[in-house]
Amino acid sequence: MLSPSQAGFRRLLPLLRPHLRQLIAGLACMLLYVSSFLLLLNLAGELFPSLSSRDLPKVLLLIAQGVVIFAVQKLAQFGQDSLLAGPALQVSQKLRSDVFRRLQTVELGALEKLSAGDLTYRLTEDADRVSEVLYKSIHDTVPSALQLLAVLGYMLWLDWKLTASIVLLAPLIVWLVSLFGARVMAATERSQKKVSELAGLLGEAIEGLPLVRAFAAEPWLQDRFEREIDQHRQARHRTYNLVALQHPVVGMIEVVGLFSVLALAAWRIESGDLTIAGLSSYLTGLVVLIDPIAHVTNNFNEFQQGQASLKRLRQIEREPQEAADPADAIALGNLRGDLDLQGVCFGYDPAQPVLQDLNLEVKAGQVLALVGPSGAGKSTLFSLLLRFNTAQQGRILLDGNDLSALRARDLRRQVALVPQRTTVFSGSIAEAIRFGRRASDADVMEAARLANADEFIQSLPNGYETLLEERGSNVSGGQLQRIAIARAVLGNPALLLLDEATSALDAEAEAAVQLGLKQAMSGRTVLVIAHRLATVQEADQIVVLEKGTIVDRGSHDALMQRGGRYRELCERQFIRDLQNP
Ligand code: ADP
């Protein structure tokens, strides 16, 4: 994988290495294609004098040769285009895959700050633009540049004095093109940023549309949208204006060049230094030059736009990464699930501790209920147990193994999360439960049975193959929760982290979910962020967390009797009795 600092196209070249053979074959076709132009120029040189001397057989022969050369040229062009497309597309696919792999390991805190719409845009549109530019560069810019050089070389050979006079104009053209190019790149970067912002807003807007409607805030949203698209239009317009200005400026220089050549040529014919045959070859050469010049200039603009996209794409790779696994990670066998937190301190910003000197012991198979007001640090504790974050002080031991000495993947096989809000990817129910892990159908069904989900899944027309729609919108909330429970217990994890849902389901659905949870929890160590009275009553320990410290701990009865913060929380309905709300 490339390092993130390598943002330029030049740095993508090593990615072409695996496709060397195809590239060489494509380049051979390209050379054939370019050299055919020289043969054609030569033919043109012979054709005009033969026409003027009315030598019909010679003319016909020259035309026949021309047809053959054209046929070979077009074949070579096909070979070049099709052979070179593959490597270009492969490189951009590899780039996209590398960036996505990197995105998957971005530190969660940093990831939360990124906009989904913006990221989507970068990985789709920006990546596509990079791919197009790569393809164009390889299959169009390179042969055009070669053609330019070959034809210029031929013209130098024909009449170097005449050609030198046009070549003198070349630095001016190059300077102008690169001047515009830099501006086009900056303007494109601005306009791509605007599109990303637009994509971000669209993401938020689509998610929040029902809310917008509920608040009758459509005019406000429309206004915001209009402002964004207006800024985008202005940014895009600036790019178009630059390109629009570039064409006539560079075109004018080309025309000046052409007329100077004609004037000089007339003078040189007059002085006898140039023949008519030479001039016809020469003028054909000039005509043949126009096309590659136009291609190289246009492609250079697109190249600059692609460079802007590539830069944006590779910025993703600069996001802070999750802590790497230790080099000598301990291999995990089957765990019992003894959890021990010793003096754990953590803050997202180390200067502002969120968890302070946390000491906790949960024996294998026990249930610990975490209660406390929102912002107390309960989810943060979960994030430490999943090693999304690492404690700044203290140790977390699982069966005596320090979490920081384990491979994150191994750890996460043993620690399963049932989040408060279930998120599923679209796909079949079986896929949702497997979630990428290798497991037999029997294991999937067993997990579903534990989660009390097997019965309802079997009763669906397609059973486990029923397709879940985006966000699981075609099953009920309670069913979705049971799928999430099955997903959590599939690998038989030793530690279950359960974030109880706060929104109440109807009594029947609630009972089904509770039964699933009860079965799933049995035989495992469970940490539950609890909101229900039933859950805390049944827990082996209750810990009350406030501002990152434990202010109370014990069993329900003991805590109620003691009359501290826990009883207050119960009385203020932080913990609800769902049967008698
Ligand atoms: P709880 O789950 O008990 O409601 P959290 O663990 O979510 O509490 O939050 C504890 C504190 O940490 C809060 O002050 C919250 O604002 C802060 N916090 C949570 N997540 C982040 C984050 N990713 N970056 C910075 N601060 C965070």
Side-chain angles (χ1 to χ4, degrees):
M1 206 187 311
L2 295 167
S3 85
S5 59
Q6 299 170 321
F9 271 101
R10 198 162 48 88
R11 307 297 182 138
L12 294 182
L13 289 180
L15 298 182
L16 284 171
R17 205 167 294 139
H19 314 288
L20 216 52
R21 218 182 290 167
Q22 209 173 338
L23 272 177
I24 291 174
L27 286 174
C29 288
M30 190 188 286
L31 284 179
L32 191 61
Y33 171 72
V34 172
S35 43
S36 66
F37 278 102
L38 302 182
L39 294 176
L40 285 174
L41 290 188
N42 209 20
L43 275 189
E46 289 183 40
L47 185 66
F48 291 108
S50 309
L51 277 173
S52 54
S53 63
R54 297 184 189 167
D55 183 352
L56 192 60
K58 178 101 188 274
V59 168
L60 287 180
L61 179 70
L62 287 173
I63 288 177
Q65 283 176 348
V67 169
V68 172
I69 296 173
F70 263 120
V72 172
Q73 185 190 55
K74 295 301 155 201
L75 256 179
Q77 190 177 20
F78 166 73
Q80 160 202 307
D81 288 357
S82 67
L83 283 166
L84 296 178
L89 288 170
Q90 300 263 16
V91 166
S92 72
Q93 180 179 338
K94 174 89 175 69
L95 179 68
R96 208 179 236 156
S97 135
D98 281 358
V99 172
F100 189 68
R101 183 168 302 118
R102 195 103 179 169
L103 179 66
Q104 295 224 57
T105 53
V106 168
E107 203 182 76
L108 281 185
L111 196 62
E112 278 162 14
K113 291 195 194 99
L114 299 173
S115 140
D118 174 42
L119 284 178
T120 312
Y121 186 81
R122 289 183 197 219
L123 276 156
T124 50
E125 290 296 316
D126 278 325
D128 251 356
R129 196 180 276 252
V130 170
S131 157
E132 244 162 66
V133 166
L134 265 175
Y135 177 58
K136 271 223 164 123
S137 300
I138 302 181
H139 103 292
D140 193 33
T141 312
V142 175
S144 295
L146 278 180
Q147 191 180 331
L148 202 69
L149 288 178
V151 174
L152 266 180
Y154 182 78
M155 287 160 76
L156 270 172
W157 172 76
L158 268 180
D159 189 335
W160 71 268
K161 282 187 190 151
L162 197 50
T163 311
S165 64
I166 4 175
V167 172
L168 281 180
L169 286 174
L172 187 62
I173 297 186
V174 169
W175 175 72
L176 272 175
V177 168
S178 60
L179 187 75
F180 276 105
R183 280 163 198 215
V184 167
M185 174 163 154
T188 308
E189 222 174 312
R190 273 194 300 275
S191 99
Q192 295 294 85
K193 187 163 167 267
K194 281 283 151 219
V195 190
S196 270
E197 283 169 13
L198 189 64
L201 175 66
L202 270 177
E204 272 183 287
I206 291 164
E207 185 100 335
L209 223 43
L211 194 68
V212 169
R213 211 164 287 177
F215 279 82
E218 292 97 336
W220 165 81
L221 183 59
Q222 186 70 29
D223 233 37
R224 222 177 124 176
F225 187 69
E226 300 283 349
R227 245 178 299 145
E228 287 283 344
I229 53 174
D230 194 51
Q231 286 174 7
H232 166 245
R233 179 192 53 79
Q234 287 177 14
R236 201 91 201 106
H237 204 159
R238 267 194 290 276
T239 320
Y240 287 159
N241 273 344
L242 271 171
V243 176
L245 186 63
Q246 182 186 17
H247 282 302
V249 171
V250 175
M252 260 322 282
I253 295 175
E254 282 171 7
V255 168
V256 168
L258 186 71
F259 282 111
S260 333
V261 167
L262 281 178
L264 282 170
W267 173 62
R268 286 180 69 72
I269 286 177
E270 228 232 318
S271 67
D273 289 324
L274 189 65
T275 60
I276 293 287
L279 182 66
S280 27
S281 252
Y282 201 88
L283 288 182
T284 320
L286 268 188
V287 173
V288 171
L289 268 190
I290 291 173
D291 219 26
I293 290 182
H295 278 230
V296 170
T297 356
N298 282 341
N299 290 356
F300 187 68
N301 283 336
E302 281 186 38
F303 181 80
Q304 294 291 47
Q305 299 182 1
Q307 189 95 330
S309 283
L310 183 60
K311 225 163 117 185
R312 285 164 41 78
L313 192 60
R314 308 214 71 184
Q315 268 161 5
I316 297 176
E317 297 180 317
R318 274 185 226 147
E319 292 296 331
Q321 296 284 300
E322 223 185 16
D325 285 324
D328 47 355
I330 305 167
L332 273 189
N334 276 343
L335 292 182
R336 291 187 310 280
D338 285 321
L339 186 67
D340 194 5
L341 276 78
Q342 301 175 345
V344 170
C345 296
F346 172 77
Y348 294 93
D349 168 5
Q352 290 175 336
V354 172
L355 296 176
Q356 300 176 52
D357 194 25
L358 224 55
N359 290 291
L360 262 182
E361 203 181 343
V362 194
K363 289 259 169 279
Q366 282 196 341
V367 177
L368 172 97
L370 283 168
V371 295
S374 106
K378 304 178 295 289
S379 317
T380 303
L381 175 59
F382 275 16
S383 81
L384 293 185
L385 292 171
L386 282 160
R387 229 181 69 193
F388 291 162
N389 291 300
T390 313
Q392 277 119 7
Q393 274 177 44
R395 300 194 304 165
I396 303 179
L397 305 175
L398 191 57
D399 281 15
N401 303 304
D402 195 323
L403 291 200
S404 58
L406 305 176
R407 250 191 300 272
R409 262 176 162 269
D410 293 349
L411 171 71
R412 290 168 195 162
R413 276 205 189 101
Q414 294 288 340
V415 182
L417 174 72
V418 181
Q420 200 172 64
R421 258 187 64 196
T422 307
T423 323
V424 286
F425 280 72
S426 49
S428 73
I429 292 184
E431 274 179 83
I433 295 176
R434 270 200 190 93
F435 213 10
R437 291 163 294 185
R438 242 180 262 144
S440 66
D441 289 347
D443 289 342
V444 170
M445 283 165 82
E446 178 55 31
R449 217 168 287 133
L450 268 181
N452 192 27
D454 178 63
E455 206 178 290
F456 94 78
I457 297 172
Q458 301 267 22
S459 71
L460 294 170
N462 289 321
Y464 280 83
E465 292 313 309
T466 307
L467 291 180
L468 288 172
E469 283 165 12
E470 216 176 312
R471 281 175 248 133
S473 52
N474 57 337
V475 291
S476 75
Q479 290 172 336
L480 203 58
Q481 281 184 25
R482 283 183 277 159
I483 291 175
I485 299 167
R487 174 173 72 187
V489 294
L490 176 69
N492 195 20
L495 181 61
L496 194 64
L497 304 180
L498 173 62
D499 196 351
E500 251 181 354
T502 41
S503 53
L505 300 167
D506 64 64
E508 202 179 325
E510 180 70 40
V513 171
Q514 287 307 318
L515 176 63
L517 277 173
K518 203 168 184 160
Q519 293 176 171
M521 284 156 75
S522 131
R524 279 176 241 285
T525 310
V526 181
L527 259 66
V528 48
I529 298 179
H531 305 287
R532 291 179 178 81
L533 191 60
T535 314
V536 281
Q537 274 173 335
E538 283 169 29
D540 298 291
Q541 289 187 64
I542 300 165
V543 160
V544 184
L545 210 58
E546 234 169 44
K547 293 191 183 130
T549 47
I550 297 175
V551 293
D552 224 347
R553 67 168 98 199
S555 69
H556 173 75
D557 294 340
L559 288 175
M560 284 305 268
Q561 268 181 5
R562 202 183 301 157
R565 286 296 285 148
Y566 178 74
R567 197 159 100 188
E568 247 175 72
L569 286 173
C570 281
E571 281 162 4
R572 278 167 51 198
Q573 293 236 323
F574 259 105
I575 300 154
R576 287 173 299 136
D577 182 351
L578 286 167
Q579 266 68 49
N580 310 296

